[in-house]
């Protein structure tokens, strides 16, 4: 594809870097970029249902202030004036945080989440919050609170989840940077199925409120370079997150990588979960071949999880949500999606011994993953075992007794804390994007992003199709 410019393409096709370069030259004002994003959302979101909560007035004030800074030659940084979106579970002062569910009690937040404050301090233009599925525990766009989110590549497909709206917004071009959250693949899975880039940083790299073991905030967008820009302003500690890490001195924009001499693991089976679709496996092998052709040593990684481990982690999550389910007002509880209500009930009556085993499974996965990858610089794998699935399914399996069999390649890095990115590696015969996961050692976030950028640049031309616009042909 030709690189769009302020004069030859849609403004919403511009990357964050292209936008800020245009601001610096005076060719474009942040208000123009905002207006283009708002117009696109107005045009597309009746089809995609990606936005939950829009902030047009506040965003305009932010864009006008950014324009004044750019004209004065005093921008705040890499995202000054750049449109961004937040996920629905990221608190915005004065607004409720419903977690994709009509069953939650709408209580206005008393303060912003740490990432919102960091974005505002960096001059970003916060457009909206994007939708998430019920309580964030579905890999789809299904919710009792808002219409089902759809995949821009095919409106009959799910965008994935739980950062469903963020994935759809990124593919549609609502904003160059779209923040999601990830506890078992919720950034990388929608990135894979929506054909965009997504990054789950090292656990603690971005402060999270409320904190939870394995949960991270991560950026999604059309370009790896935009994810790196986002990381440059989002990282650092916060008192609300006891797991948050000290600042990482890094040149996040230094994405050129010579892979010669790197040892790259290839994982096509972690030992648990659903088997990998043949088309998905081939796209991942092709990605590994690109690293090998550039001088990396690619080595196979044998399965390292015990079968049943993912079910134990699923049980741990169910137990916690069963406790929340019981605490809900009975009338509001009836508003839950039936799939999630049944899933919550799976945590009922679990004895202490099994509950502790389910909690210990998280540490077992962390230790097994770190041991299996300890001698590797990078690890390549699928993001999901299969391609995009029906928008009307809650999960790829659509089976509440086997809901998490698709997260095996992702949840390993949530538990181990390692950084991992998804980059589109190609398309199935049916046209579904397929993400290739690129992981690195803990704390090596810049290397993970640089490797993702290498794959983005080296992948075949067939993996870079024009961005979809299905709403333009729908009534």
């Amino acid at each position: 594809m030709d690189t769009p410019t302020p004069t030859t393409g849609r403004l919403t096709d511009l990357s964050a870097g292209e936008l800020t370069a245009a601001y610096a030259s005076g060719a474009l004002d942040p208000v123009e970029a905002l207006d283009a994003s708002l117009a696109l959302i107005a045009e597309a979101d009746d089809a995609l249902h990606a936005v939950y909560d829009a902030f047009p007035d506040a965003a305009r004030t932010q864009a006008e202030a950014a324009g004044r800074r750019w004209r004065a030659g005093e921008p705040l940084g890499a995202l000054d004036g750049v449109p961004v979106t937040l996920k629905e579970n990221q608190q915005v002062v004065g607004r409720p945080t419903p977690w994709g569910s009509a069953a939650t009690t709408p209580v206005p937040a008393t303060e912003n989440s740490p990432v919102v404050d960091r974005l505002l301090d960096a001059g970003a233009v916060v457009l909206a919050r994007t939708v998430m599925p019920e309580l964030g525990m579905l890999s789809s766009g299904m919710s009792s609170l808002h219409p089902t989110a759809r995949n821009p590549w095919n409106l009959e497909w799910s965008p994935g989840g739980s950062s469903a709206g963020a994935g759809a917004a990124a593919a549609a071009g609502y904003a160059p940077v779209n923040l999601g959250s990830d506890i078992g693949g919720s950034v990388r899975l929608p990135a894979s199925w929506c054909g965009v880039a997504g990054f789950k940083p090292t656990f603690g790299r971005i402060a999270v409120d409320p904190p939870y073991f394995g949960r991270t905030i991560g950026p999604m967008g059309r370009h790896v370079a935009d994810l790196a820009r986002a990381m440059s302003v989002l990282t650092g500690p916060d008192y609300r997150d006891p797991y948050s890490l000290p600042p990482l001195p890094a040149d996040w924009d230094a994405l050129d990588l010579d892979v010669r001499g790197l040892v790259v693991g290839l994982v096509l089976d972690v030992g648990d979960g659903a088997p990998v679709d043949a088309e998905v496996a081939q796209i991942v092998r092709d990605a590994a071949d690109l690293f090998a052709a550039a001088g990396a040593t690619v080595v196979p990684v044998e399965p390292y999880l015990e079968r049943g481990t993912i079910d134990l982690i699923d049980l741990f999550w169910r137990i916690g949500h069963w406790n929340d389910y019981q605490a809900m007002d009975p009338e509001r509880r009836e508003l839950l999606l039936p799939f999630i209500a049944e899933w919550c009930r799976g945590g009922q009556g679990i004895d202490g011994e099994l509950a502790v085993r389910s909690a210990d499974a998280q540490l077992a996965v962390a230790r097994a993953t770190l041991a299996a990858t300890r001698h590797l610089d990078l690890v390549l794998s699928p993001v999901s075992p299969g391609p995009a699935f029906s928008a009307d399914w809650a999960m790829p399996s659509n089976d509440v007794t086997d809901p998490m069999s698709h997260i095996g390649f992702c949840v390993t890095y949530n538990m181990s804390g390692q950084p991992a990115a998804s980059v589109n590696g190609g398309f199935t015969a049916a046209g579904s994007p397929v993400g290739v996961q690129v992981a690195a050692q803990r704390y090596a976030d810049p290397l993970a992003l640089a490797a993702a950028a290498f794959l983005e640049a080296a992948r075949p031309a067939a993996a870079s199709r024009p961005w979809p616009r299905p709403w333009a042909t729908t009534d």
Side-chain angles (χ1 to χ4, degrees):
M1 294 183 294
D2 293 334
T3 301
T5 69
T7 56
T8 64
R10 288 184 290 268
L11 294 185
T12 51
D13 287 335
L14 297 177
S15 69
E18 290 165 334
L19 285 174
T20 54
Y23 299 159
S25 70
L28 186 65
D29 187 88
V31 172
E32 295 176 85
L34 168 65
D35 286 340
S37 289
L38 294 177
L40 175 58
I41 292 170
E43 177 188 0
D45 213 58
D46 283 346
L48 299 181
H49 305 301
V51 169
Y52 155 68
D53 188 19
F55 316 123
D57 294 337
R60 187 165 302 280
T61 298
Q62 294 156 14
E64 290 170 350
R68 291 191 292 270
R69 289 191 293 271
W70 280 104
R71 288 189 293 275
E74 299 175 346
L76 294 176
L79 291 183
D80 201 353
V82 174
V84 303
T85 70
L86 310 167
K87 188 175 176 179
E88 182 178 329
N89 62 350
Q90 289 150 13
Q91 303 99 282
V92 174
V93 65
R95 294 178 181 258
T97 312
W99 289 73
S101 178
T104 58
T105 302
V107 178
T110 58
E111 60 183 351
N112 291 330
S113 67
V115 292
V116 175
D117 284 336
R118 288 185 183 276
L119 287 171
L120 295 176
D121 289 345
V125 177
V126 181
L127 297 175
R129 285 190 291 179
T130 54
V131 302
M132 63 188 292
E134 198 84 6
L135 302 180
M137 294 310 300
L138 297 175
S139 290
S140 69
M142 296 184 68
S143 162
S144 62
L145 185 64
H146 31 61
T148 298
R150 304 276 170 170
N151 191 319
W153 292 96
N154 186 324
L155 296 179
E156 297 303 312
W157 292 342
S158 175
S162 64
S163 304
Y174 286 9
V177 174
N178 305 268
L179 295 191
S181 63
D182 189 318
I183 195 172
S186 289
V187 163
R188 290 156 290 162
L189 289 165
S192 174
W193 291 319
C194 291
V196 299
F199 184 53
K200 182 207 79 69
T202 293
F203 181 55
R205 183 68 68 207
I206 297 175
V208 180
D209 181 28
Y212 191 89
F213 182 74
R215 179 182 291 150
T216 64
I217 302 293
M220 305 166 68
R222 290 178 170 183
H223 310 283
V224 173
D226 287 346
L227 311 188
R229 278 180 170 254
M231 292 299 297
S232 74
V233 304
L234 293 175
T235 62
D238 187 278
Y239 73 95
R240 290 164 287 185
D241 183 354
Y243 304 118
S244 57
L245 296 173
L248 176 67
D251 181 358
W252 291 97
D253 292 329
L255 295 175
D256 291 337
L257 179 66
D258 185 349
V259 303
R260 288 178 295 181
L262 296 181
V263 181
V264 180
L266 175 61
V267 179
L268 294 174
D269 181 1
V270 294
D272 197 11
V276 178
D277 177 88
E279 286 184 283
V280 171
Q282 188 56 55
I283 287 171
V284 177
R285 290 191 191 99
D286 291 345
D289 288 345
L290 294 173
F291 279 84
T297 299
V298 176
V299 298
V301 177
E302 296 300 316
Y304 53 87
L305 294 186
E306 292 186 13
R307 187 153 296 278
T309 303
I310 295 172
D311 286 343
L312 281 173
I313 291 176
D314 174 49
L315 178 61
F316 179 79
W317 292 337
R318 289 186 193 230
I319 294 168
H321 280 78
W322 169 246
N323 291 335
D324 294 340
Y325 179 90
Q326 293 183 94
M328 283 182 179
D329 179 276
E331 291 186 3
R332 301 199 72 87
R333 188 189 301 158
E334 295 300 315
L335 300 175
L336 283 170
L337 284 182
F339 189 101
I340 279 292
E342 185 176 353
W343 179 81
C344 290
R345 287 191 289 268
Q348 181 180 9
I350 304 300
D351 65 37
E353 181 180 350
L354 183 54
V356 171
R357 281 184 58 210
S358 72
D360 288 346
Q362 298 175 102
L363 182 58
V365 168
R367 288 171 58 88
T369 304
L370 290 168
T373 61
R374 67 189 185 280
H375 299 308
L376 304 172
D377 298 300
L378 300 167
V379 189
L380 301 180
S381 74
V383 175
S384 165
F389 57 98
S390 171
D392 297 324
W393 286 14
M395 291 289 203
S397 67
N398 205 32
D399 181 354
V400 75
T401 68
D402 182 31
M404 301 292 179
S405 58
H406 64 287
I407 70 170
F409 292 102
C410 288
V411 74
T412 50
Y413 298 123
N414 291 89
M415 300 300 105
S416 70
Q418 293 168 259
S422 175
V423 178
N424 190 49
F427 294 82
T428 67
S432 171
V434 173
V436 176
Q437 184 166 234
V438 184
Q441 295 294 331
R442 278 189 299 179
Y443 315 121
D445 302 66
L447 175 60
L449 284 169
F454 166 83
L455 178 56
E456 183 180 62
R459 64 191 176 185
S464 300
R465 298 180 181 181
W467 293 105
R469 293 177 60 81
W471 57 87
T473 56
T474 58
D475 293 331

